[in-house]
Amino acid sequence: MFDTQEVAWADLKVRVFDTTVKGLRGTKYSKEIEKEALYAAGDEPVGIQQGNKKYEGSLKILKGELSKLNAAARAAGYSSILEVPYQVFVITVNYKEGFGRPMETDTLKGVAVTKYEKGMDQGAKYMEIELPFIFMELSEK
């Protein structure tokens, strides 16, 4: 028997400030390592050199969720989610278990939200806001 069921949107939970983000509309995050070919004699590479690691991502949330995150930041003594220091900001993403697939947890440590923009178009039923962020470590378990 083959288990080909993938993680579905319903299996995903994101927590920020120990609170599940209920108004989540989308998420993505990445880990990148700089790499380049190393050249010496001749015109063929003799190796591949590795450099810095880079972590970045974004959350798409509803406007009400941004208000809650900003309120939590203000309660902690910061003016907004943009001011929260990376040392205390962690995002946890849980993929629930199912069909023999174990529970998986990604922990993004050292998160700093870099900006947000509010806006709506005529006829919109809700406001969706993207929160791009950078972070310092990805732990996948």
Side-chain angles (χ1 to χ4, degrees), residues 44-59:
E44 295 290 332
V46 296
I48 296 177
Q49 293 299 104
Q50 186 169 301
N52 293 329
K53 294 178 183 174
K54 179 180 178 181
Y55 303 91
E56 60 188 5
S58 69
L59 295 174

Side-chain angles (χ1 to χ4, degrees), residues 9 12 14 21-29 57-62 128-131 133:
W9 182 253
L12 179 78
V14 173
V21 180
K22 301 251 186 225
L24 184 69
R25 300 276 300 157
T27 184
K28 62 181 175 180
Y29 47 94
S58 69
L59 295 174
K60 283 186 190 173
I61 59 175
L62 296 173
E128 183 178 88
I129 297 173
E130 187 163 356
L131 295 179
F133 58 84

